[in-house]
Amino acid sequence: MKSDDLIITIKKEISAIKDIVNLNILKIKYLGKKGYISSQFLLIKKLNKKEKINKSIIINSQKKQIKKIIKERIKEIKLIKNNKQYSNHEIDISLPGKFIKIGSEHPLNYIIKKIENFFVKIGFKIVIGLEIEDSFHNFDALNIPKYHPARTEKDTFWLDKNILLRTQTSNIQIRIMKKKKPPIRILTSGKVYRNDYDNNHTPMFHQIEGLYIDKKVSFTDLKGILSIFLDFFFGKKYQTRIRPSYFPFTEPSLEMDILNKNKKWIEVLGAGMVHPNVLKNVNINSSKYNGFAFGIGVERLTMLYYNINDIRSFYENDLRFLKQFKLNNFI
Ligand code: PHE
């Protein structure tokens, strides 16, 4: 039989087969150890070299074609079987689907978003900034003297003599004021680092920094905005207080506390009128412009918001803790 004819015959034979078991029998008949192809190879042993080469090319091509035909038929048989199952309702399409577990938003991210939403509504623009900083932007330009204890290794993670992990988001004040002319109204959020660790402090935590520079900004504006913000945030659930404080980069400075459930005042933010020295350091004319800055402790607010008493639970990745916040995604 001519090679092409043979393949056509085999093709017919294979397509008549309707199940995998019989197809395997046929596969053995053609491709098995004692099958047709093997027997052809045995036959050519006696031929001379040239004929042997020619013949073996033909046999190899036949082998390849038969393999392909069988493979395609297997696919077809499987498909037919599948379709039959569907049409016979062997698969119960009324069964409930597989439940795909989706993660939940981290409570800190949710709170940051909530705070950002408030300030965006009153005209603040969101900016992002660097976590690795130099001492100029983290300390010098913020009017923090060279001898200030915050600069020591006890408090700050230094990467080399001049480079550090920022200890506060106030570095962004400097970066923005260097770049932009007033009026400036920005908000930034992010990680800050300090060498501290207990159930109220972690070496990394989050702050939100706001900065407002314009003509005739008043201390009353600052107090008003922050009080309205805390009332909005907690829905007036907690009593708040403002008390005088000190930061080298603001004058006057204040801190705001919240009276928690145990009747303890918890400090949640620091703020003040931007110090004229800071404005000078970034070439803003302090006789023309002034403004305020504030820094909010995100973990503190989140702990009060959800009644969490150990700051470390935010970073332990315990699903039992994280899962509790799922519903908040939809608020
Ligand atoms: N950077 C201060 C801190 O980390 C907070 C602050 C920000 C105070 C802006 C005043 C103005 O404690």
Side-chain angles (χ1 to χ4, degrees), residues 199-331:
N199 63 354
N200 277 317
H201 299 91
T202 47
M204 183 280 294
F205 58 101
H206 296 76
Q207 283 188 335
I208 291 188
E209 187 93 6
L211 174 71
Y212 179 27
I213 305 286
D214 205 340
K215 289 173 184 159
K216 297 192 181 125
V217 180
S218 73
F219 194 59
T220 320
D221 294 334
L222 171 63
K223 281 167 61 177
I225 284 183
L226 292 179
S227 303
I228 291 171
F229 161 67
L230 285 181
D231 283 349
F232 151 82
F233 188 81
F234 288 114
K236 298 196 174 167
K237 203 165 89 184
Y238 292 114
Q239 201 181 323
T240 60
R241 77 171 177 197
I242 295 178
R243 64 186 158 78
S245 184
Y246 172 78
F247 298 102
F249 36 95
T250 49
E251 181 58 36
S253 305
L254 65 83
E255 276 178 314
M256 283 189 84
D257 303 328
I258 278 179
L259 193 62
N260 75 2
K261 294 238 158 72
N262 306 325
K263 298 279 164 260
K264 221 179 122 191
W265 287 103
I266 308 286
E267 175 205 324
V268 292
L269 62 86
M273 303 307 287
V274 177
H275 196 293
N277 285 354
V278 175
L279 295 175
K280 205 170 100 198
N281 290 339
V282 291
N283 289 323
I284 290 181
N285 183 349
S286 62
S287 57
K288 208 167 152 198
Y289 293 105
N290 72 335
F292 61 70
F294 56 87
I296 301 172
V298 178
E299 276 79 355
R300 291 275 174 88
L301 277 198
T302 312
M303 286 165 83
L304 283 160
Y305 191 83
Y306 288 119
N307 261 323
I308 295 166
N309 42 33
D310 190 338
I311 192 173
R312 292 168 292 199
S313 26
F314 289 126
Y315 314 112
E316 282 164 351
N317 284 337
D318 185 335
L319 286 180
R320 288 167 304 177
F321 171 77
L322 294 171
K323 261 176 20 195
Q324 300 175 78
F325 304 97
K326 205 164 218 148
L327 281 177
N328 291 315
N329 298 354
F330 306 107
I331 292 175

Side-chain angles (χ1 to χ4, degrees), residues 71-258:
K71 210 171 150 192
E72 273 164 10
R73 187 61 189 152
I74 290 176
K75 250 198 210 160
E76 278 169 13
I77 291 173
K78 280 188 178 159
L79 195 74
I80 292 167
K81 198 178 155 204
N82 252 348
N83 287 344
K84 251 199 201 143
Q85 268 182 352
Y86 276 117
S87 54
N88 291 345
H89 291 287
E90 277 178 40
I91 288 174
D92 183 356
I93 53 168
S94 68
L95 282 174
K98 274 192 188 137
F99 181 67
I100 299 168
K101 284 188 188 158
I102 43 171
S104 50
E105 190 172 26
H106 194 280
L108 291 176
N109 284 335
Y110 170 72
I111 294 297
I112 288 174
K113 255 185 5 205
K114 191 172 158 78
I115 298 173
E116 282 179 350
N117 275 344
F118 173 86
F119 284 100
V120 164
K121 276 194 193 127
I122 56 169
F124 283 74
K125 221 182 126 219
I126 307 291
V127 297
I128 50 169
L130 305 167
E131 286 173 31
I132 294 179
E133 192 50 283
D134 55 33
S135 47
F136 175 76
H137 293 88
N138 196 87
F139 293 127
D140 303 334
L142 285 162
N143 202 33
I144 299 175
K146 286 267 186 269
Y147 53 80
H148 197 285
R151 292 193 186 229
T152 65
E153 273 174 17
K154 245 185 94 227
D155 275 320
T156 301
F157 293 111
W158 288 93
L159 302 180
D160 72 19
K161 259 221 233 67
N162 186 38
I163 307 296
L164 49 91
L165 295 179
R166 69 173 174 191
T167 61
Q168 50 187 351
T169 41
S170 303
N171 64 332
I172 307 304
Q173 290 186 34
I174 304 301
R175 294 213 167 257
I176 292 290
M177 286 192 288
K178 260 174 41 180
K179 263 201 328 225
K180 268 195 67 167
K181 288 206 158 53
I184 295 169
R185 214 183 288 169
I186 58 101
L187 195 83
T188 189
S189 68
K191 296 183 170 71
V192 300
Y193 302 84
R194 286 181 204 174
N195 204 348
D196 244 343
Y197 197 48
D198 59 40
N199 63 354
N200 277 317
H201 299 91
T202 47
M204 183 280 294
F205 58 101
H206 296 76
Q207 283 188 335
I208 291 188
E209 187 93 6
L211 174 71
Y212 179 27
I213 305 286
D214 205 340
K215 289 173 184 159
K216 297 192 181 125
V217 180
S218 73
F219 194 59
T220 320
D221 294 334
L222 171 63
K223 281 167 61 177
I225 284 183
L226 292 179
S227 303
I228 291 171
F229 161 67
L230 285 181
D231 283 349
F232 151 82
F233 188 81
F234 288 114
K236 298 196 174 167
K237 203 165 89 184
Y238 292 114
Q239 201 181 323
T240 60
R241 77 171 177 197
I242 295 178
R243 64 186 158 78
S245 184
Y246 172 78
F247 298 102
F249 36 95
T250 49
E251 181 58 36
S253 305
L254 65 83
E255 276 178 314
M256 283 189 84
D257 303 328
I258 278 179

